Every structure is written in structure tokens, then in C-alpha cells.
Amino acid sequence: MGFTIGGIRDKRSGPRRRGRPSDCTTVAEYTGLWGWDVMPGALAARGLGSGRNECSCGDVRCSAPGAHPLDFASPVPAGATLDDAVAAWAEVPGAAVLLPVGRSFDVLEVAERAGRRALVRLERMGLPLGPVTVTPRGRAQFFVAPGAAAELPQLLYRMGWDDADLDLRCLGPGDHLTAPPSDLGGLGPVRWLRPPTLDTAGRPPQARLLLGTLAYVCRGLCR
């Protein structure tokens, strides 16, 4: 049974192919240094003559081309070494690097413009911050402590934003974040707006510390 990654068909029963060294190093950094689980993900490529992205999972009806885990692949657990990462990625050469949300962190996501403006405010206020990514879809993603997705409606209500039209959502258990420098849905790479550090990767801030500023900036840009 074969699968396609980046337009190259790989036979799982045949000789193992090596993942790119940079991919293996990235996975090892995420698992060994930052303490995150990593999941191999599908990729998307522009279909010849179709004008739409096709997913490497091979499902022509895929609803999220290049933006979901490979269903046959196993996660690389937090704490995995470089040798572990090399062995794992040899099974899925070229796979996207996905981070399961809801384990080490949840994610507050806003429009990139709002995220950049809020990040400046939050840094000036001296509030604790975790990693922040920016996607080719124009979204900024703030890593926050697990549990934020379940708490978000109540937190917004307490802050008086319950009826506000905010371009803000939270990713939680069951979601996956495409991690830098992997390609997101064939649109281009995800980048770090604020890279992880030893202090922030394992201890992202509580969502309530950032939410007021994020909501305020989002609301201002929506007017």
C-alpha cells in the first residue's frame, strides 16, 4: 500500500527513504527540547488542470488538503531523541510537522494584523507570553495553557465580550497546528512570530492574561 507525499509515491513495503535532515532536526527539537508531541501530516499540491489543491492522503474528497494528520502514521512522543525522529520520519519522508493541540498547549487564533498589534501591546505591558506563529492564511496563533478552548466562552462572558463580533477562535483537543517551517495546505510555510524558548514552551501563559488585549484589538479592527 503506497502513499503520496509531495507528489512522490512511497511504498511502505519497500526500502526506507530518509526524511530530510532539517525535518528530522525540527522534529527532534520539538520533542526533545520543547517537550511537544509531533504528528506526521499530509501535504497539498496543486492538481494538474484541476485548479485546486490535492491532498497527499490520496482522498480526492479530502476536506482539508494538506492540513491533517496521516491516519496511518504514529505520533513522535515528547522526549523523543534525534535518532527517534530520524527513524520516525524515514517512514513518512516529506511529511508536514503537526503539533497536537490540547496536550501541552491550546491556541488562541486571530487575524495576523490583530495578532501583531496585540503582541506589541502585550510585550509593552510585560505580560508573560508563549510562542506565536503566523500562517500563510493571515492568522496569528498564540500558544496558551491547556484548557483554554473549554474556558473561552465563559472567559469572554466575564470580560464583557460575549456579544462582540470577534474574529477570534481557540484550538483545543482534537485540533492540530501546522508547525514551522512546514507548508500549510499548499499555501506556503508557517513561520514563528515569537519562537519558543525553554521558559515558554513548557509553560505557556493562561489564556485570561492575553484575552482582554486580543479581544480589544480584534474589536477595534472590526469596526
Side-chain angles (χ1 to χ4, degrees):
M1 185 72 178
F3 66 95
T4 302
I5 291 289
I8 300 176
R9 181 164 292 277
D10 178 73
K11 301 293 185 180
R12 291 181 64 81
S13 58
R16 289 185 177 184
R17 299 170 186 259
R18 287 286 183 181
R20 292 178 300 173
S22 59
D23 291 342
C24 300
T25 301
T26 296
V27 173
E29 176 183 324
Y30 289 163
T31 59
L33 192 58
W34 309 134
W36 297 333
D37 296 335
V38 173
M39 190 72 191
L43 295 178
R46 182 69 64 179
L48 294 177
S50 67
R52 61 184 295 273
N53 283 342
E54 296 179 352
C55 189
S56 62
C57 70
D59 184 354
V60 295
R61 296 172 297 179
C62 181
S63 60
H68 66 85
L70 293 168
D71 57 7
F72 58 79
S74 299
V76 186
T81 65
L82 178 58
D83 288 342
D84 295 332
V86 169
W89 242 247
E91 298 288 340
V92 285
V97 178
L98 303 186
L99 304 178
V101 183
R103 301 180 185 178
S104 300
F105 57 85
D106 280 6
V107 172
L108 291 176
E109 182 183 281
V110 298
E112 180 181 348
R113 183 184 174 197
R116 289 181 179 275
R117 187 172 296 184
L119 184 58
V120 172
R121 287 175 176 262
L122 292 165
E123 289 177 334
R124 287 176 178 172
M125 295 165 66
L127 291 175
L129 289 166
V132 184
T133 64
V134 62
T135 80
R137 290 176 175 157
R139 307 294 291 177
Q141 299 171 318
F142 289 72
F143 287 40
V144 293
E151 298 171 356
L152 184 62
Q154 186 64 20
L155 287 173
L156 287 173
Y157 177 78
R158 290 176 181 175
M159 293 178 179
W161 297 102
D162 56 304
D163 60 348
D165 183 18
L166 299 176
D167 183 13
L168 184 156
R169 70 178 186 128
C170 193
L171 307 181
D175 294 318
H176 291 81
L177 179 142
T178 301
S182 290
D183 179 274
L184 175 61
L187 299 175
V190 178
R191 296 175 286 111
W192 289 115
L193 193 56
R194 182 183 176 89
T197 67
L198 289 175
D199 291 334
T200 64
R203 295 187 298 275
Q206 295 294 321
R208 58 181 174 79
L209 299 177
L210 313 184
L211 195 55
T213 299
L214 287 171
Y216 176 80
V217 173
C218 287
R219 183 59 172 168
L221 292 178
C222 287
R223 289 176 177 173

